[in-house]
Amino acid sequence: MVASAPGKVTLFGEHAVVYGYPAIVASIDKRIYVSAELREDDKIRINAQDLRTSGVIVSISNGEIQITTDYGKTLSAIGYLNRSIELTSEYLGVRKGVSLEVRSEMPVGAGLGTSAAVSVATIAAYSTCLGYELSKDEIAKLGWEVEKSVQGIASPMDTSIATFGGVLKIWFEGSTVYRVPLKVSNELPLVVAYVEREKSTKDMVMLVRNLREKHPDLINGILEHIGKTTLEAEKALAEGNLQEVGTLMNINHGLLEALGVSSRRLNEVVYTARVAGALGSKLTGGGGGGASIALTLPDNINVLTNVLKLVTPHVFKTSIQYEGVRVTVSQ
Ligand code: PMV
């Protein structure tokens, strides 16, 4: 059994979505694949080569060599797999051992929704192995529970888009999630560029939470403005007014910066994109390093990609891919 789920870019509204404001999110043409096979015993075995981050960091200080790794990131990705199995077992009332193999077409933990894609694909693969066909609503709901339980605080945005795919306007009140599929009248030529992640999504969500507790009026005002930017962007997307979409992306990035979730390296990428002719650019996802997106006219996409490669080696073109979670039976 192989299930796959797409990664995503948040076009508008990350962080504000955690506080009930709307966000616009799109699934991309890069996926996470989880294959699952039931075992005779009750163990969970995970083979997740691609979830390993490259990170062996060698630093020399006062003549001493120090070697550290990014192993923590691998462990956190495995946390999502594990929790997905536990919650699916609880939900279905059945527990069986399973061997899982995970493959990723995109960088993990960069802000492209890989943890949600891992969770959603794992829930779909495992439940199908157990003989159940969960609805997309059920998968998205379980996926959100996994994210909340691993991260402590999470919106339903990433798990919704990994499940349903497409372009969604999304917000929630309590446990009710609202998802409106958006018609985007133009192709959206996007370039993703990412830099080393200094902080996790969880760290950044906590940072905003603490800042909001200290400065409620200011931070609530910024979050509200992000929500308004999202609503204006919805109109611009429907009209196919890419110039306006780009301007609103720039405004959104400024507001995210005011929340303190960008970083020097991320800003470097975001501003380089604008110099290289992007209509707009912003960080995407949790921030603290990680991914940015730049929107461009199709005839400028190669120039934009090449210029961004001068600032970071991690650059790729992407487009919206409408398919959400998919399960196939392997031979
Ligand atoms: O970094 P990602 O891809 O997991 O995106 C996080 C998006 C946030 O709005 C910051 C958090 C959330 O749960 O919606």
Side-chain angles (χ1 to χ4, degrees), residues 177-193:
V177 182
Y178 301 91
R179 301 180 194 98
V180 181
L182 297 187
K183 281 227 167 6
V184 176
S185 54
N186 277 64
E187 278 284 299
L188 287 183
L190 291 169
V191 178
V192 173

Side-chain angles (χ1 to χ4, degrees), residues 59-139:
S59 49
I60 305 177
S61 133
N62 297 333
E64 275 196 31
I65 299 176
Q66 258 200 343
I67 299 180
T68 47
T69 68
D70 272 347
Y71 196 56
K73 286 190 194 164
T74 315
L75 288 182
S76 98
I78 287 174
Y80 290 94
L81 282 160
N82 209 14
R83 201 71 192 115
S84 299
I85 297 295
E86 282 175 6
L87 288 186
T88 307
S89 288
E90 271 170 35
Y91 182 71
L92 298 173
V94 191
R95 170 77 197 216
K96 284 195 179 153
V98 64
S99 293
L100 299 169
E101 205 172 308
V102 185
R103 194 163 63 75
S104 175
E105 292 178 338
M106 60 201 142
V108 173
L112 299 172
T114 42
S115 57
V118 162
S119 306
V120 162
T122 304
I123 293 164
Y126 185 53
S127 55
T128 312
C129 271
L130 293 174
Y132 292 84
E133 200 180 314
L134 295 181
S135 69
K136 287 196 169 175
D137 275 321
E138 288 175 302
I139 294 175

Side-chain angles (χ1 to χ4, degrees), residues 8 14-15 17-18 111-113 154-155 157-158 197 201 205 285-286:
K8 61 102 222 246
E14 53 272 270
H15 285 289
V17 71
V18 175
L112 299 172
S155 81
M157 174 174 75
D158 287 11
R197 194 101 194 247
T201 296
V205 170

Side-chain angles (χ1 to χ4, degrees), residues 14-60:
E14 53 272 270
H15 285 289
V17 71
V18 175
Y19 298 92
Y21 294 101
I24 297 178
V25 61
S27 54
I28 58 172
D29 55 356
K30 303 227 178 299
R31 302 177 76 84
I32 292 267
Y33 294 83
V34 175
S35 45
E37 206 181 324
L38 291 183
R39 295 168 63 89
E40 297 297 322
D41 56 28
D42 63 355
K43 293 197 172 66
I44 301 172
R45 189 177 171 281
I46 297 167
N47 177 357
Q49 300 284 339
D50 289 346
L51 297 189
R52 258 186 226 148
T53 41
S54 53
V56 174
I57 303 155
V58 181
S59 49
I60 305 177

Side-chain angles (χ1 to χ4, degrees), residues 233-295:
E234 183 186 0
K235 279 190 228 138
L237 283 167
E239 289 161 2
N241 187 346
L242 293 192
Q243 201 79 43
E244 181 66 5
V245 174
T247 303
L248 292 165
M249 282 169 72
N250 294 345
I251 293 173
N252 194 162
H253 182 77
L255 293 166
L256 287 165
E257 253 212 278
L259 291 180
V261 297
S262 193
S263 71
R264 188 186 67 77
R265 284 283 287 140
L266 206 41
N267 282 345
E268 205 178 350
V269 175
V270 166
Y271 287 101
T272 301
R274 293 184 201 167
V275 175
L279 299 172
S281 56
K282 64 184 274 293
L283 72 85
T284 186
S292 69
I293 45 169
L295 176 69

